[in-house]
Amino acid sequence: MNILNLSGIAIFASFLITLISYFFKYDIFIFAGLFAWLALILLFRKIGNLKLLLSLIFLSIIIFIFSSYSNFVIDYKKAILVNQYMLTLLIGVGFLRLIATPKNETLKELPKGELSFIKTYLGVHLFGSVINMSSLILVADKLYKKSKLTKLQAIVLTRAFATDAYWSPFFVAFAAVSTYSSGFKAVEVVFTGVVLAVLAFFVTYFELKKSHDLSEFRGYPLQFDTLTLPVILALLVLVTNHYYPEIKVILLISLFSIVLTSLILPFKLGIKKAIKSLNFHVTNELPKMKNEIGLFLIAGMFGVSISTLLVGFHIEFPFEKFDGFSASIILLVQILLSFVGIHPIITIAIIGNWTGDINHTLLAMTFLMAWSTSVCTSPFSGVNLTMQARYGLNTFEIFKTNFLYALKMYIICVIILFLLANYLGI
């Protein structure tokens, strides 16, 4: 057993302990965080974007030392655990790939035309809402095997996937807002997010129809019959949340993800192959989450360190009233910072720890908007860096191509924020 396998076991232990601590014995929750940090230490040398993470670690240590010297109150436990539920969702949803991944079909020729564009976009979007990045990579790999990805294909894939962040409870962005704006109303947020996702589709559709010949678009439409399991999972979560609204939705998703996988996989593969598949996923696939684990744990710690300073110096949130206007300013700042490499989770961690008694539904929607726009536009986003490393695309070309789209979506988001604020009576 090598370090990679050990890190996978540590990640899985962190996942299980989080669920056990939440539902049965909260006292052991700290061990979930310690196992996650152990996995990070084991995988640290293999993590990408080390310069950013090392900078955040260094700054956090300096801030904690200064805060300790200044007798500021430091919540070290929170620094370790603040993003633990986010990681738990990410790990749990990862297991769904074992049972919910679309069929591996071989096509002699990629279908083309406007209908292919629509099916490809919707396929990546709907499957991405549940199995996350795997959806984008699955389709991109199929297209890449036939020929080099075109700019048009890259636009469709990145935007279709990124718009999941607007609404999907299975998306890590949703876990982030659950952590840093926990008092939000899920129904309002999901409904608003779905509206935004639909508007984003039409923005992309009409933009590309004008600038490209969609009759020549070659896509890889996914079979929608394999959405059965994600729908079952969603129904389980919704029904349970209706009767037990006090339970965190992200932990319900995490719990049902592993339960469904454990129940269904033996029927698909047989008991022996199912155990082998689960073991391989834990020891080989979970460690591949090293970049997300590193970013979430260290960004969480950094956010706590910044909030320690803000509280210690009695620096208050800059807006007396958090309404549509202030939400629009925060959204703009988050998007601009993402363009220079500051991931939304970092700004969410800082702002989320900073805000006081404000409307969390409006704040949550602001965070989701920032995440979605950053994912498809920023040249430093994980999605665009993957497109560059795996398919040879230039991230700055993607940035230039998606910049006007980001501007259009920002304007739409601002309008939505004002409407939402009005609906919430702010």
Side-chain angles (χ1 to χ4, degrees):
M1 186 172 288
N2 55 35
I3 289 178
L4 193 73
N5 301 146
L6 286 172
S7 66
I9 293 171
I11 294 167
F12 188 54
S14 173
F15 171 77
L16 290 179
I17 293 171
T18 300
L19 293 178
I20 293 169
S21 68
Y22 184 80
F23 290 102
F24 301 107
K25 191 174 176 60
Y26 186 77
D27 292 348
I28 65 172
F29 186 39
I30 184 65
F31 293 103
L34 293 176
F35 271 109
W37 281 91
L38 172 61
L40 173 60
I41 292 168
L42 293 173
L43 294 167
F44 196 73
R45 292 178 62 186
K46 298 179 181 296
I47 291 176
N49 207 8
L50 266 180
K51 286 184 179 180
L52 173 62
L53 297 184
L54 286 171
S55 298
L56 293 179
I57 291 172
F58 177 74
L59 287 171
S60 298
I61 292 171
I62 295 298
I63 291 170
F64 282 139
I65 291 172
F66 174 81
S67 298
S68 179
Y69 178 78
S70 303
N71 293 319
F72 295 164
V73 177
I74 305 171
D75 192 340
Y76 291 109
K77 188 175 180 181
K78 185 177 181 181
I80 294 172
L81 294 169
V82 65
N83 283 340
Q84 186 61 36
Y85 290 150
M86 281 178 58
L87 284 180
T88 303
L89 177 72
L90 194 65
I91 297 164
V93 168
F95 281 98
L96 292 177
R97 285 180 292 188
L98 299 174
I99 58 173
T101 301
K103 297 173 184 177
N104 189 13
E105 298 178 299
T106 302
L107 300 176
K108 290 183 179 179
E109 187 177 0
L110 294 173
K112 71 175 184 176
E114 198 167 304
L115 185 60
S116 177
F117 160 78
I118 294 171
K119 285 185 175 181
T120 300
Y121 187 104
L122 292 180
V124 172
H125 181 77
L126 292 175
F127 282 107
S129 70
V130 179
I131 62 174
N132 286 253
M133 190 88 166
S134 301
S135 166
L136 184 146
I137 291 174
L138 174 76
V139 174
D141 280 352
K142 294 296 182 184
L143 296 173
Y144 192 63
K145 281 180 182 177
K146 297 295 182 181
S147 63
K148 186 177 179 180
L149 285 184
T150 65
K151 190 194 303 188
L152 178 58
Q153 288 170 330
I155 292 170
V156 172
L157 296 182
T158 53
R159 294 186 190 180
F161 172 71
T163 48
D164 285 318
Y166 285 135
W167 67 272
S168 174
F170 307 101
F171 212 76
V172 72
F174 203 88
V177 303
S178 298
T179 301
Y180 293 102
S181 52
S182 56
F184 72 92
K185 296 177 181 177
V187 174
E188 280 87 341
V189 167
V190 171
F191 177 78
T192 305
V194 169
V195 170
L196 270 170
V198 172
L199 291 173
F201 167 75
F202 282 112
V203 167
T204 296
Y205 173 73
F206 287 115
E207 176 190 319
L208 297 183
K209 190 175 176 67
K210 184 178 179 181
S211 61
H212 294 77
D213 183 5
L214 290 185
S215 65
E216 294 299 316
F217 176 84
R218 290 195 178 273
Y220 188 83
L222 297 169
Q223 297 301 311
F224 289 91
D225 58 344
T226 44
L227 275 173
T228 305
L229 286 172
V231 169
I232 292 172
L233 176 61
L235 288 174
L236 282 171
V237 171
L238 289 171
V239 171
T240 307
N241 181 248
H242 176 75
Y243 289 104
Y244 301 96
E246 70 279 4
I247 300 177
K248 291 182 180 292
V249 171
I250 56 175
L251 289 176
L252 281 178
I253 295 170
S254 305
L255 176 64
F256 284 130
S257 294
I258 188 66
V259 169
L260 279 177
T261 302
S262 301
L263 291 176
I264 293 171
L265 202 58
F267 285 98
K268 289 187 71 175
L269 304 178
I271 294 177
K272 285 187 178 180
K273 285 187 177 180
I275 293 172
K276 188 176 180 181
S277 179
L278 282 168
N279 179 63
F280 181 82
H281 183 80
V282 169
T283 55
N284 290 272
E285 294 299 320
L286 289 186
K288 292 179 181 178
M289 295 168 48
K290 56 187 180 294
N291 293 333
E292 291 89 344
I293 291 172
L295 180 61
F296 295 161
L297 289 179
I298 294 169
M301 178 181 67
F302 180 66
V304 171
S305 72
I306 294 295
S307 69
T308 301
L309 281 183
L310 294 172
V311 172
F313 284 116
H314 305 289
I315 301 174
E316 297 183 354
F317 193 58
F319 300 104
E320 290 185 10
K321 182 181 180 183
F322 186 68
D323 53 12
F325 174 75
S326 48
S328 302
I329 298 299
I330 289 175
L331 174 60
L332 179 61
V333 170
Q334 285 188 276
I335 292 172
L336 292 177
L337 287 174
S338 77
F339 290 170
V340 294
I342 307 299
H343 194 280
I345 187 57
I346 299 173
T347 51
I348 288 173
I350 294 171
I351 297 168
N353 280 315
W354 194 8
T355 53
D357 185 21
I358 65 172
N359 190 290
H360 283 203
T361 300
L362 187 62
L363 182 64
M365 203 64 245
T366 306
F367 286 163
L368 293 177
M369 290 171 173
W371 195 296
S372 177
T373 306
S374 302
V375 162
C376 73
T377 310
S378 172
F380 303 100
S381 75
V383 170
N384 286 332
L385 289 174
T386 298
M387 297 297 278
Q388 175 177 271
R390 197 176 181 102
Y391 310 110
L393 296 171
N394 187 305
T395 56
F396 287 96
E397 282 296 320
I398 296 175
F399 170 73
K400 285 193 291 184
T401 303
N402 280 333
F403 181 77
L404 281 179
Y405 165 79
L407 183 60
K408 293 173 189 174
M409 287 312 301
Y410 175 73
I411 294 170
I412 291 172
C413 285
V414 168
I415 295 170
I416 295 291
L417 285 173
F418 274 91
L419 291 173
L420 180 61
N422 184 64
Y423 169 79
L424 295 170
I426 302 172

